[in-house]
């Protein structure tokens, strides 16, 4: 949550910071602000609303230049999203300015102490408390900014990625992180600071990712010094060469990132299995699994931890691991897992799934699992993310940047990775024969082309969207491998179109939700040929006899369901285990088109953020 950007160097910091904030807006868009130092003056401009509002305000107030600057796009935690609560925040003297992504949990007691010492506060934020704490330390101990930041942070409890500068010393920015991501872009004679590399990738591909508990003084004309916040120990920074390109983070002619990302799925899935799956050799090789194969083969059970869409991918994997590898699986919401007293042993393998690799609940659950001795494997999309570093081993999904807040290609690539792992383990355990294994690999290799075909049904999806865009509620039903797809379809609809939707295992309908069905209720039923087809057909009849409107996702050429359904959306035939990779596609398109028709902000739905770094 929240995006932070900073710049120091010969360019106009205003341009770099504002463009960077636009790229980071997926992280939060309740308010935005910038602090610039120009003409011996610290200038601040901030506003409720999006970065576009900030641009207007800055231009109006003529705050459009500086050689040093920091900016923030906010997902509100403390205090309502208004101009005053927006970042940056300034210390009481007006000297120090800060941007902050995270939460200072003990801010109330710190605020009380500072108030007793004469400090006053304009906003309701924890961040304003932090900048005044830094100022207090700096004055009391008569130390430089870097030292003051370090001492102050040692008095805080919580999570942060911060950037601070002093208007009296406008040649350096002090940064620190704990729990929230922070990257430093290293240019020739300039430095960039950001929550991820997207704000600076067009200027440099060299980046230092601070680890949790590290801070750095970023000063012009000097190499970056990284230190441990706890004990001031100096650390040699690792400068990483990034593979990210500018094209990957732009819309490439699509109206929305979400649509671009839906259409990227065939390529993204190929990127996920490229080099790992070799159908002609009958081989799956994945370093993270190969190096730890005994742990997986001897696992008493696999526990999958994740949130949201990633949790749905985890649910799909439960069917895959049980079918292919005969390993018992439990799929847990990370947020519940971490606050229970889970029974975990050294014989458990924990798989943590996260697109962003920054989700706070998933991160906390990983730490608990590690403490209890489990082997933890990460499935992340963002390279170098916190979760990818915290886990013992892992596999990247290689889906490329996912900017639309509603997750699409991350979901299908997560399923692809988990399918590869389950197949590999099934083969090694002798649960899958050679010929079956070959057949699975060849079929998986055909999935990208089948997704292309599914995407061609877009016009049919638009008609369905037109028919149901005014619905107030919607049910999604699926069985077996497609039950999690029903959950995911419902989540997509509610998060971007704000239509209430629920996903259910189809057979559960008669235990309650059937009471909701009448002629006003659209019901999306996943009824592909394999698996539980006959049973789903019975469920469709039950809905029909109560006058519900049926939108059925069926296998190409299906005739029986066609006779009963009000609308059908076809997907190519495939093995039952791989159907989620296809049935998900029309559901993503459906929610996308309904949201567009309703005039909603598809890429940045209200109240949401791409990366949930608060608990
Ligand atoms: C839904 C969505 C969220 C995320 C969830 C976990 O479209 O994007 O439900 O899936 O916040 O995020 P990650 O995967 O980054 O841990």
């Amino acid at each position: 949550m929240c995006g932070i950007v900073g710049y120091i160097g010969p360019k106009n910091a205003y341009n770099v910071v504002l463009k960077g904030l636009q790229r980071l807006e997926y992280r939060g868009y309740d308010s935005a602000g910038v602090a610039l130092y120009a003409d011996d003056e610290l200038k601040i401009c901030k506003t409720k609303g999006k970065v576009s509002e900030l641009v207007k305000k800055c231009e109006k107030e003529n705050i459009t230049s500086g050689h040093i600057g920091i900016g923030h796009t906010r997902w509100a935690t403390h205090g309502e999203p208004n101009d005053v609560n927006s970042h940056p925040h300034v210390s009481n003297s007006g000297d120090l300015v800060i941007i902050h992504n995270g939460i200072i949990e003990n801010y109330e007691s710190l605020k009380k102490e500072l108030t007793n010492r004469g400090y006053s506060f304009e906003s309701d934020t924890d961040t304003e408390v932090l900048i005044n704490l830094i100022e207090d330390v700096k004055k009391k101990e008569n130390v430089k900014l870097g030292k003051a930041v370090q001492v102050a942070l040692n008095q805080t409890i919580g999570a942060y990625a911060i950037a601070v500068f002093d208007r009296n010393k406008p040649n350096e920015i002090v940064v620190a992180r704990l729990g929230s991501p922070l990257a430093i872009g290293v240019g020739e004679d300039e430095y960039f600071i950001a929550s991820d590399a997207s704000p600076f990738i067009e200027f440099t591909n060299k980046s230092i990712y601070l680890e949790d508990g590290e801070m750095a003084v970023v000063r012009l004309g000097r190499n970056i010094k990284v230190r441990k916040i706890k004990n001031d120990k100096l650390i040699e920074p690792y400068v990483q060469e990034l593979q990210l390109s500018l094209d990957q983070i732009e819309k490439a002619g699509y109206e929305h990132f979400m649509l671009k990302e839906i259409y990227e799925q065939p390529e993204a899935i190929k990127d996920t299995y490229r080099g790992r799956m070799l159908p002609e050799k009958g081989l799956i090789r994945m370093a993270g699994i190969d190096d730890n194969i005994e742990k997986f083969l001897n696992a008493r059970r696999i526990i999958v931890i994740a949130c949201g869409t990633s949790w749905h991918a985890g649910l799909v994997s439960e069917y895959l691991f049980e079918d292919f590898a005969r390993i018992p699986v439990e799929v847990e919401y990370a947020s519940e897992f971490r606050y229970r007293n889970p029974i975990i042993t050294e014989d458990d393998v924990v798989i943590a799934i996260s697109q962003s690799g920054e989700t706070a609940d998933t991160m906390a659950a990983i730490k608990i699992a590690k403490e209890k001795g489990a082997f933890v494997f990460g499935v992340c999309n963002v390279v170098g993310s916190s979760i990818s570093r915290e886990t013992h081993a892992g596999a990247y999904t290689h889906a490329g940047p996912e900017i639309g807040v509603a997750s699409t290609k991350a979901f299908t690539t997560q399923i692809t990775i988990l399918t590869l792992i389950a197949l590999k383990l099934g083969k090694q355990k002798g649960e899958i024969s050679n010929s079956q294994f070959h057949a699975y690999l060849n079929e998986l290799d055909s999935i990208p082309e089948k997704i292309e075909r599914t995407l061609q049904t877009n016009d049919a999806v638009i008609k369905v969207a037109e028919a149901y865009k005014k619905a107030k509620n919607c049910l999604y039903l699926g069985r077996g491998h497609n039950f999690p797809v029903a959950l995911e379809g419902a989540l997509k609809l509610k998060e971007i179109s704000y239509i209430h939707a629920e996903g259910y295992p189809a057979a559960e309908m008669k235990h309650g939700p059937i009471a909701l069905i009448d002629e006003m209720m659209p019901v999306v039923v996943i009824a592909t040929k394999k698996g539980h087809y006959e049973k789903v057909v019975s469920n469709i009849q039950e809905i029909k006899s109560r006058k519900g409107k049926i939108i059925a996702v069926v296998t190409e050429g299906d005739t029986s369901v066609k006779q009963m359904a009000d609308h059908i959306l076809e997907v190519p035939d495939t093995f039952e285990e791989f159907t989620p990779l296809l049935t998900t596609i029309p559901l993503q398109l459906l929610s996308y088109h309904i949201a567009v028709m309703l005039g909603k902000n598809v890429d940045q739905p209200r109240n949401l953020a791409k990366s949930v770094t608060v608990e």
Side-chain angles (χ1 to χ4, degrees):
M1 323 301 252
C2 301
I4 64 171
V5 186
Y7 176 76
I8 180 165
K11 297 187 173 69
N12 182 353
Y14 172 79
N15 295 337
V16 177
V17 170
L18 271 284
K19 203 165 174 193
L21 288 180
Q22 258 145 0
R23 296 224 175 105
L24 289 183
E25 221 173 14
Y26 71 87
R27 301 179 63 86
Y29 30 82
D30 290 334
S31 64
V34 63
L36 296 159
Y37 187 83
D39 307 325
D40 300 331
E41 232 188 297
L42 174 65
K43 293 182 181 167
I44 294 193
C45 183
K46 49 191 196 175
T47 178
K48 179 176 179 223
K50 301 198 162 206
V51 178
S52 53
E53 296 302 314
L54 179 65
V55 173
K56 281 188 214 149
K57 193 166 178 192
C58 287
E59 281 171 6
K60 202 166 152 209
E61 294 180 5
N62 204 16
I63 302 181
T64 52
S65 65
H67 75 277
I68 179 168
I70 54 178
H72 187 270
T73 174
R74 175 166 186 247
W75 188 85
T77 53
H78 288 91
E80 64 167 288
N82 57 25
D83 293 8
V84 176
N85 287 334
S86 309
H87 297 217
H89 288 283
V90 180
S91 63
N92 275 192
S93 70
D95 289 345
L96 307 185
V97 58
I98 187 170
I99 48 172
H100 169 213
N101 167 25
I103 291 183
I104 303 301
E105 287 168 14
N106 59 335
Y107 84 105
E108 277 180 6
S109 57
L110 293 169
K111 191 171 183 174
K112 239 185 234 158
E113 278 176 41
L114 289 166
T115 310
N116 288 342
R117 284 214 287 282
Y119 284 85
S120 61
F121 299 90
E122 274 183 12
S123 75
D124 308 323
T125 65
D126 50 344
T127 307
E128 197 187 2
V129 175
L130 179 58
I131 194 63
N132 281 301
L133 179 65
I134 295 169
E135 174 152 294
D136 193 51
V137 172
K138 189 168 180 298
K139 281 190 179 153
K140 256 192 347 208
E141 304 197 8
N142 194 18
V143 287
K144 290 184 184 165
L145 180 61
K147 187 70 192 166
V149 168
Q150 190 218 345
V151 173
L153 288 178
N154 275 307
Q155 295 174 31
T156 64
I157 300 168
Y160 48 79
I162 56 165
V164 184
F165 76 83
D166 181 348
R167 67 173 171 181
N168 301 312
K169 211 174 168 207
N171 67 340
E172 67 175 28
I173 303 178
V174 179
V175 295
R177 81 156 273 190
L178 183 70
S180 303
L182 198 144
I184 304 169
V186 182
E188 279 293 307
D189 51 357
E190 58 188 350
Y191 289 116
F192 306 82
I193 286 142
S195 302
D196 69 35
S198 60
F200 57 76
I201 196 65
E202 65 193 282
F203 305 114
T204 177
N205 69 344
K206 292 198 179 68
S207 176
I208 297 170
Y209 286 95
L210 285 193
E211 297 286 344
D212 264 351
E214 288 180 359
M215 61 176 292
V217 177
V218 179
R219 186 179 305 159
L220 276 186
R222 196 184 80 172
N223 285 343
I224 292 185
K225 287 199 174 132
V226 176
R227 292 178 183 277
K228 283 262 176 224
I229 298 168
K230 213 170 173 181
N231 55 18
D232 212 25
K233 199 175 134 210
L234 211 56
I235 292 154
E236 192 55 42
Y238 171 62
V239 184
Q240 198 170 322
E241 296 243 337
L242 303 172
Q243 304 299 327
L244 192 67
S245 72
L246 195 55
D247 284 359
Q248 286 177 298
I249 51 172
E250 292 190 335
K251 279 192 206 146
Y254 285 91
E255 206 182 327
H256 297 100
F257 280 112
M258 182 179 176
L259 191 62
K260 173 180 173 241
E261 287 155 10
I262 290 173
Y263 274 82
E264 277 173 349
Q265 287 175 108
E267 273 313 302
I269 288 176
K270 277 189 215 159
D271 288 342
T272 304
Y273 66 59
R274 182 170 297 121
R276 290 169 166 156
M277 179 175 83
L278 309 170
E280 62 297 344
K281 290 194 178 152
L283 197 68
I284 292 174
R285 58 173 187 216
M286 298 174 75
I289 303 289
D290 292 324
D291 295 348
N292 301 286
I293 194 71
E294 292 306 318
K295 296 242 185 262
F296 281 94
L297 295 179
N298 298 327
R300 197 170 59 103
R301 64 183 172 155
I302 292 176
I303 304 170
V304 180
I305 47 176
C307 302
T309 290
S310 297
W311 183 78
H312 295 156
L315 272 189
V316 173
S317 81
E318 181 171 19
Y319 293 83
L320 297 170
F321 283 117
E322 290 184 354
D323 270 3
F324 292 148
R326 306 300 301 139
I327 302 175
V329 179
E330 282 168 31
V331 186
E332 304 261 8
Y333 284 114
S335 53
E336 287 299 311
F337 179 86
R338 61 178 291 201
Y339 290 117
R340 290 207 325 264
N341 187 7
I343 300 163
I344 310 164
T345 70
E346 288 174 10
D347 301 327
D348 292 323
V349 166
V350 171
I351 300 184
I353 310 172
S354 174
Q355 186 286 131
S356 61
E358 302 294 345
T359 301
D361 283 322
T362 310
M363 189 67 171
I366 291 169
K367 289 185 177 155
I368 291 172
K370 278 173 75 180
E371 271 162 31
K372 294 188 185 257
F375 172 75
V376 186
F377 187 88
V379 173
C380 295
N381 188 37
V382 177
V383 175
S385 54
S386 305
I387 290 177
S388 68
R389 291 195 305 241
E390 184 68 30
T391 42
H392 293 116
Y396 285 116
T397 45
H398 295 313
E402 192 182 64
I403 314 272
V405 163
S407 196
T408 52
K409 63 177 179 172
F411 179 63
T412 45
T413 53
Q414 286 164 347
I415 295 176
T416 305
I417 280 280
L418 295 160
T419 306
L420 292 177
I421 301 173
L423 281 171
K424 186 173 171 69
L425 296 181
K427 175 77 187 342
Q428 298 253 149
K429 288 186 75 184
E431 299 289 347
I432 304 176
S433 70
N434 268 340
S435 61
Q436 280 173 319
F437 191 65
H438 267 96
Y440 281 125
L441 298 199
N442 284 323
E443 183 58 24
L444 193 54
D445 202 22
S446 74
I447 290 292
E449 183 270 323
K450 290 184 177 177
I451 294 181
E452 296 278 8
R453 259 160 62 196
T454 311
L455 288 166
Q456 283 162 21
T457 62
N458 189 39
D459 287 348
V461 181
I462 291 175
K463 285 195 187 123
V464 178
E466 196 57 63
Y468 297 103
K469 66 182 183 208
K470 298 224 169 87
K472 295 273 172 275
N473 298 288
C474 189
L475 275 181
Y476 284 73
L477 304 177
R479 291 181 93 117
H481 293 262
N482 283 295
F483 155 53
V485 176
L487 297 182
E488 175 60 8
L491 178 65
K492 288 289 89 93
L493 187 68
K494 56 190 152 194
E495 70 183 325
I496 59 169
S497 69
Y498 319 144
I499 293 173
H500 172 245
E502 295 298 333
Y504 275 98
E508 274 296 301
M509 197 187 53
K510 56 187 169 296
H511 298 288
I514 198 162
L516 294 169
I517 291 180
D518 60 16
E519 62 281 6
M520 303 303 287
M521 176 66 91
V523 186
V524 178
V525 189
I526 303 158
T528 43
K529 269 275 183 235
K530 306 267 167 51
H532 310 274
Y533 182 69
E534 304 303 334
K535 302 264 182 221
V536 178
V537 169
S538 310
N539 297 137
I540 291 176
Q541 273 157 347
E542 289 156 13
I543 302 163
K544 193 76 200 154
S545 55
R546 284 155 186 88
K547 300 196 171 57
K549 299 279 179 252
I550 295 156
I551 304 150
V553 178
V554 298
T555 308
E556 277 172 357
D558 183 298
T559 47
S560 339
V561 173
K562 199 172 183 177
Q563 285 165 12
M564 289 179 274
D566 297 275
H567 306 268
I568 57 154
L569 298 171
E570 292 189 325
V571 297
D573 196 12
T574 185
F575 294 164
E576 188 197 353
E577 296 87 343
F578 300 159
T579 49
L581 291 168
L582 302 182
T583 53
T584 301
I585 308 295
L587 305 193
Q588 293 171 342
L589 286 170
L590 183 62
S591 57
Y592 170 78
H593 289 301
I594 290 181
V596 171
M597 286 170 193
L598 294 178
K600 305 295 181 209
N601 187 336
V602 173
D603 284 333
Q604 293 172 346
R606 69 183 180 204
N607 303 338
L608 295 178
K610 188 75 188 153
S611 168
V612 186
T613 52
V614 294
E615 297 169 0

